[in-house]
Amino acid sequence: MKTNSQNGSQMTPIIEVTDLRVHYGDKLALKGVSFDVYQNEILGIIGPAQSGKTTLLKVINRTLEFTPDATIEGSVKLDGEDISTISDVYGLRRRIGMVQPLPVGLPLSIYDNVAFAPRTAGIRSKSELDVIVERCLQQAALWEEVKERLNTLGTQLSGGQQQRLTIARALSHQPEILCLDEFSIAVDPVTTMRIEEVLKTLRTEMTILLVTNLVQQAKRLANRTAFFLNGDLIEIDTTDIIFSENPAEQATYDYVNGTFG
Amino acid sequence: MNILRKKSAANLPFSETAIELFIRLCGISSIIFVFGIFFFVFREGAGFLFNGLDLGQFLTSVEWQPTSLNNKRYGAFALIVGTFSVTILAMCIAVPFGLGAAIFVSEFCSPKLRETFKIIIELLAAIPSVVWGFIGLTLMNQLIIAVFNAPIGLTMLNGSIMLALMSVPIIVSIAEDALKAVPDSYREAAEALGATRWQVVYRVLLPAAKNGLLAAVLLGAARSIGETMAVLMATGHSVNIPSGPLSWIRTLTATIAAELGEVARGDEHYQVLFIIGILLFTITFVVNLIADLVIKGIRQDS
C-alpha cells in the first residue's frame, strides 16, 4: 500500500508501524498493519467496532501490556526508536497523551487532575504546577469555566467539561503525540465542535491520532484518514481521497458513505 | 392502595403469604435480638447501677477488688485502659499489614497467586480465638521473653499481636474488595499518564477507595475490642495501668469471661460484671456511630 501526504504536513514519520499483529489469546485483533504517521498531522482512524482501533492506541502507549493474554508482534517505532525496547515505559507514556472514550475524571480536584502527570514526573514546585494547569486548561478551552473552582472534584463537572478536563490532563505532560479515542461519544455536539477547534490549534504543536466513530469528524479534521476493518488496515490516504468518489477500496467507499457500519 | 394490597394478598396462595411472613420475621428478628440483648444485659446490671454503685469510682478508680471481704472496690478504669491500649496497639500492627497485604493482593500479584492468597487469608480468619490464645500463651510468650529479655511474655504486646493476627484477615478481605471496586478505567487513565504502579495506588486508588478502607479498619478494630479469649490468655490478665507494651493488662471482656462463672447470681459482683457489659455495649455503639458519621461525611464530600 502506498501512502502519500499533502496538505502541507511534513514528511518526517514520527510513528512507523510495521507489520503489527496483536492477539488476544487466540483471537487476532490486528492482522499485520503497516503505516506511518507524520509529524504535525491529524491522522483520522475510522472503522466499525472491533476493527482494532483502540488496540492500536494501546500498543502505541504500551498500556496493552496490562491485558494479561495480549501478545504483540511486529514493530512500532517512535522517532525511529522501537518502543518495545524503551526501558523507561513511564517516560514513553508521558510522550503520548491519551483521551479515553468516556471521560475518566480521576477522583481528584480539577487542579490535581491536571497536575497528576507533572507530579508523577517529579515536578513539585507550586508555581510551576500553577503555570502548567492554567496553560493546559486554556488549551482545552476549559479555563474560563473552571478557574474559580479549581479545587472542586473533577467528577462534579458536566460530561463535556470532564472530557475537556481529560484533554487538559493529556496535554499536561506536553506530549509529542495526542491520541483521542472516540472522544465525542459522551459529549454533546456543541462541545464536540469546541473540542474540534481546540484540536485544530493543537495541530501546530503536536501530532494527533484521532480515532473516531464519526466519519464526518475525520473529514472535518484529519489530514489523512486510515480505514480499519476487522483488524485490517483497508486503506490509508489523504482525507480528500478517502472521502472522494473513488477511494482505492470499495469497502472504504461503502463505509464512508454509510452503506454499512 | 391499601385496599388493593389487601385484595391481592387475599388472592395469594397460602404458601406465598407464609413465606412473606417468614421473611418479614427474619428481617425484624435482627432488630429484636439487638434490643433483647441490650434489655437483658441492662436488666441484670440496672439494680446496682442506679442504686449502690459509685459511677465515678467505677470509671476512674484502678482498684478492682470485687471479692475482697472487707474492702470491696469496683474500679474499672484499668480495665478500660487495658481494652483500649491493647486494641490501639493491635491496630498499629494490623492496619499497615492489613492494608499493605490488601494492596499487594489486589494490585501487584498475579491472578493465580491472588487466589492462593485469598484462600490462605480466609483460612486465617477461620482459626478459633482460643487457638490464638494458645499460640500467645506458648509460642509468643517464649518469643517475647527471648527477644525483649522480659521476665514474662504474657503482656499487652503479646495480646496485641494476637489481636492483630485476628483482625488482619478481616481488614485484608474488606480492603481488597474496596480496592477491587475502583473502576479499572481509573487505573488505565493514570497509567496512560505515565504513573508507576505505586503512584497509581497512592494517588488514585487509595483516595478512591478510602471509604471502604476506613470501614475495613473500623471493623478490624471492632473485632479487637470485642475479642475475649485470646486476650484473656495472652495479656497476663492482671489489673494494671500499662506503662509500655511489655506491661501486663486486663481487658473488660476478659474480666467478664473469667469472673462470671464464679459469682452468685444477683449479687453486687454479678451486677457489676453486667455493668461492664453495658459499658462494652456503649463503647461499640459509639465506635459504630463514629464510623457511620465518618463514612457519611466522606460520602457528602465526594
Side-chain angles (χ1 to χ4, degrees):
Chain A
M1 183 183 340
K2 197 83 192 106
T3 62
N4 57 351
S5 177
Q6 295 165 357
N7 292 359
S9 61
Q10 297 158 27
M11 285 295 286
T12 9
I14 182 164
I15 302 174
E16 296 160 80
V17 179
T18 316
D19 197 24
L20 179 68
R21 289 163 195 278
V22 177
H23 288 266
Y24 290 111
D26 297 335
K27 193 175 153 280
L28 195 56
L30 278 176
K31 303 173 181 171
V33 301
S34 307
F35 63 96
D36 292 343
V37 183
Y38 301 117
Q39 204 124 38
N40 294 80
E41 75 169 339
I42 296 183
L43 177 67
I45 298 175
I46 57 173
Q50 297 294 314
S51 53
K53 302 168 305 208
T54 301
T55 302
L56 176 71
L57 296 189
K58 284 188 172 181
V59 170
I60 292 172
N61 81 343
R62 282 183 63 180
T63 49
L64 195 67
E65 291 168 15
F66 299 116
T67 312
D69 59 349
T71 50
I72 305 171
E73 296 161 53
S75 82
V76 176
K77 285 183 180 167
L78 179 62
D79 279 337
E81 192 181 0
D82 192 326
I83 60 163
S84 64
T85 62
I86 290 177
S87 57
D88 180 13
V89 62
Y90 308 109
L92 169 73
R93 291 194 189 126
R94 280 192 287 267
R95 290 166 67 185
I96 299 159
M98 187 65 75
V99 176
Q100 309 287 346
L102 296 175
V104 180
L106 293 173
L108 306 167
S109 71
I110 295 170
Y111 185 97
D112 289 338
N113 260 289
V114 183
F116 186 93
R119 279 187 180 139
T120 60
I123 296 173
R124 290 276 173 271
S125 119
K126 176 92 171 91
S127 54
E128 231 174 306
L129 288 172
D130 285 347
V131 173
I132 294 172
V133 169
E134 180 171 351
R135 171 179 63 78
C136 297
L137 288 172
Q138 294 269 22
Q139 277 181 313
L142 188 61
W143 175 252
E144 290 302 323
E145 290 161 53
V146 300
K147 65 179 175 186
E148 304 297 335
R149 46 174 177 149
L150 290 174
N151 287 320
T152 56
L153 274 175
T155 41
Q156 283 177 345
L157 295 173
S158 75
Q161 288 173 325
Q162 282 198 43
Q163 193 57 294
R164 276 177 284 156
L165 179 61
T166 60
I167 292 175
R169 200 171 62 193
L171 296 172
S172 64
H173 37 95
Q174 293 187 295
E176 298 158 43
I177 297 154
L178 181 64
C179 300
L180 298 111
D181 192 358
E182 304 194 339
F183 75 87
S184 47
I185 270 185
V187 176
D188 63 279
V190 176
T191 311
T192 301
M193 296 317 287
R194 289 190 67 173
I195 296 175
E196 287 187 8
E197 291 307 312
V198 170
L199 296 181
K200 281 178 194 161
T201 58
L202 285 175
R203 171 163 34 190
T204 53
E205 294 167 46
M206 58 192 73
T207 310
I208 297 173
L209 289 183
L210 177 72
V211 169
T212 177
N213 52 333
L214 304 175
V215 173
Q216 292 305 314
Q217 191 169 60
K219 189 178 181 183
R220 285 194 294 270
L221 292 175
N223 303 78
R224 292 189 309 145
T225 297
F227 173 52
F228 279 75
L229 182 63
N230 294 329
D232 276 319
L233 174 55
I234 302 295
E235 188 171 356
I236 178 168
D237 216 320
T238 62
T239 301
D240 292 344
I241 293 178
I242 294 284
F243 284 87
S244 70
E245 287 300 307
N246 45 3
E249 301 288 332
Q250 182 63 33
T252 311
Y253 181 84
D254 290 346
Y255 182 74
V256 166
N257 291 287
T259 316
F260 80 96
Chain B
M1 183 71 204
N2 228 344
I3 298 166
L4 273 177
R5 261 189 103 173
K6 265 192 183 147
K7 207 173 174 185
S8 69
N11 289 339
L12 284 174
F14 172 72
S15 61
E16 194 77 11
T17 333
I19 289 171
E20 201 188 304
L21 190 71
F22 176 70
I23 291 172
R24 192 164 294 198
L25 273 178
C26 291
I28 294 169
S29 65
S30 63
I31 302 171
I32 292 175
F33 285 139
V34 170
F35 278 104
I37 291 167
F38 188 75
F39 173 74
F40 285 108
V41 169
F42 195 79
R43 194 186 64 180
E44 294 299 314
F48 191 50
L49 177 62
F50 294 119
N51 191 5
L53 177 72
D54 181 348
L55 202 61
Q57 187 196 55
F58 177 72
L59 289 174
T60 56
S61 165
V62 296
E63 290 177 299
W64 179 257
Q65 297 164 356
T67 52
S68 164
L69 281 179
N70 45 18
N71 189 22
K72 282 198 198 314
R73 286 275 190 280
Y74 302 109
F77 185 63
L79 310 181
I80 297 168
V81 172
T83 287
F84 277 103
S85 55
V86 80
T87 301
I88 289 167
L89 184 59
M91 284 302 106
C92 292
I93 302 166
V95 169
F97 274 99
L99 294 186
I103 290 168
F104 174 75
V105 171
S106 122
E107 303 303 317
F108 290 91
C109 78
S110 68
K112 211 177 157 190
L113 196 62
R114 175 181 307 146
E115 288 313 307
T116 320
F117 261 109
K118 287 183 84 165
I119 291 168
I120 293 173
I121 287 163
E122 275 154 27
L123 206 67
L124 205 62
I127 297 175
S129 62
V130 67
V131 174
W132 286 118
F134 178 71
I135 293 170
L137 205 56
T138 54
L139 193 76
M140 193 52 69
N141 183 20
Q142 304 291 330
L143 205 66
I144 288 176
I145 290 172
V147 171
F148 295 100
N149 201 15
I152 189 160
L154 299 176
T155 57
M156 178 177 142
L157 178 66
N158 191 334
S160 293
I161 292 170
M162 291 306 124
L163 286 182
L165 285 166
M166 295 165 84
S167 349
V168 159
I170 295 175
I171 296 178
V172 172
S173 47
I174 297 172
E176 201 240 337
D177 286 346
L179 289 170
K180 273 277 154 270
V182 177
D184 275 339
S185 59
Y186 286 5
R187 293 181 183 82
E188 280 164 20
E191 270 151 1
L193 289 168
T196 63
R197 296 185 80 177
W198 173 237
Q199 285 169 329
V200 173
V201 168
Y202 83 83
R203 292 191 180 214
V204 178
L205 295 184
L206 294 188
K210 63 186 169 186
N211 238 347
L213 298 179
L214 194 74
V217 169
L218 286 168
L219 282 173
R223 173 92 161 95
S224 290
I225 291 176
E227 177 48 43
T228 307
M229 191 48 78
V231 287
L232 174 62
M233 293 167 81
T235 57
H237 195 58
S238 170
V239 179
N240 180 31
I241 298 278
S243 55
L246 293 177
S247 306
W248 45 87
I249 53 150
R250 185 196 270 211
T251 65
L252 294 164
T253 49
T255 304
I256 298 178
E259 296 181 4
L260 194 58
E262 296 167 15
V263 294
R265 194 189 157 107
D267 80 352
E268 278 185 6
H269 187 187
Y270 174 89
Q271 295 192 35
V272 168
L273 292 181
F274 274 92
I275 293 168
I276 291 179
I278 297 170
L279 183 64
L280 271 170
F281 229 122
T282 317
I283 291 170
T284 40
F285 178 72
V286 169
V287 169
N288 281 344
L289 195 68
I290 291 171
D292 273 354
L293 291 178
V294 169
I295 287 169
K296 264 192 196 135
I298 289 172
R299 282 216 192 105
Q300 270 161 14
D301 274 357
S302 55

